[in-house]
Amino acid sequence: MQLVVARIGRAHGIKGEVTVEVRTDEPELRLGPGAVLATEPAGAGPLTIETGRVHSGRLLLRFEGVRDRTAAEALRNTLLIADVDPTELPEDPEEFYDHQLMDLDVVLADGTEIGRITEITHLPSQDLFIVERPDGSEVMIPFVEEIVTEIDLAEQRAVITPPPGLIDADQAVIASARDEEDEEGDGAGGDAASADGASADGKDA
């Protein structure tokens, strides 16, 4: 199967190098020298990676036949696509490829249906599942072990234990109102709410 592994950004320098937005957890494997990649639009490729290096935290690639800034700039926004064996698994058993996670059913520990994963967003701090609910609405679920407790590929499901308010906003409103009442009472509730908030931020990070 074909997977998007990077998007070409702006040209770097005058010798044909380009910056790339990496969209794979294994850039050394997918974007190493000698890799031949299909492209979108198709007319821009295929492209063979000649060299790669990291500069100021960004991956720079040079492709065979691309020798100057003009040719490099012409590739801007091109998607790089790799052929991947659908049965291939990451070396780390706790990691998964995007295509393995797409369309998994998302359920609570008691089996309650939440929705279906329709997109995975990769952020610098964490990955997010975009989950489509039965009513057509969407919810974002951080892919962290405190929230996503199990990925069962055999059963095609992801089991989650969401904190209050992550799935249903009204739960967050109720919890917030409760905290305010506690603060007006003796102040103890404020400390507990602050601790809960810090914990939630830690999980998301």
Side-chain angles (χ1 to χ4, degrees):
M1 64 184 303
Q2 292 191 316
L3 297 176
V4 174
V5 293
R7 181 181 68 84
I8 297 176
R10 60 184 177 79
H12 179 84
I14 60 173
K15 296 183 178 180
E17 283 187 312
V18 296
T19 62
V20 295
E21 173 192 312
V22 177
R23 297 188 181 181
T24 173
D25 292 330
E26 299 176 311
E28 300 87 356
L29 175 64
R30 308 296 180 199
L31 299 170
V36 180
L37 303 167
T39 60
E40 176 60 43
L47 294 172
T48 300
I49 297 176
E50 186 173 276
T51 63
R53 65 188 179 97
V54 176
H55 175 74
S56 299
R58 297 295 300 272
L59 178 61
L60 303 179
L61 297 180
R62 179 185 286 114
F63 302 102
E64 291 183 3
V66 179
R67 290 288 177 263
D68 57 38
R69 186 178 183 88
T70 300
E73 192 63 35
L75 294 173
R76 191 166 188 169
N77 294 323
T78 297
L79 297 179
L80 300 176
I81 303 168
D83 283 314
V84 178
D85 183 342
T87 64
E88 181 182 328
L89 298 174
E91 293 183 3
D92 187 339
E94 298 300 316
E95 292 184 356
F96 303 88
Y97 292 133
D98 286 4
H99 70 270
Q100 295 175 298
L101 301 171
M102 289 291 290
D103 291 325
L104 291 189
D105 293 324
V106 178
V107 300
L108 300 180
D110 63 5
T112 301
E113 179 186 3
I114 299 301
R116 177 178 61 89
I117 298 174
T118 57
E119 184 180 344
I120 295 120
T121 299
H122 300 282
L123 302 177
S125 59
Q126 67 187 15
D127 296 331
L128 290 175
F129 291 161
I130 309 301
V131 177
E132 182 178 314
R133 307 203 65 184
D135 63 4
S137 62
E138 291 185 340
V139 61
M140 293 185 294
I141 297 177
F143 187 19
V144 293
E145 61 183 354
E146 295 90 344
I147 296 176
V148 182
T149 58
E150 181 184 2
I151 297 291
D152 189 336
L153 296 181
E155 295 295 328
Q156 287 290 287
R157 69 175 190 170
V159 181
I160 66 171
T161 55
L166 181 63
I167 302 300
D168 296 303
D170 56 345
Q171 293 181 6
V173 171
I174 293 172
S176 175
R178 235 182 243 138
D179 293 339
E180 288 177 4
E181 290 174 2
D182 289 340
E183 288 177 1
E184 291 173 359
D186 57 13
D191 291 340
S194 176
D196 288 345
S199 175
D201 289 342
K203 291 176 183 177
D204 290 355

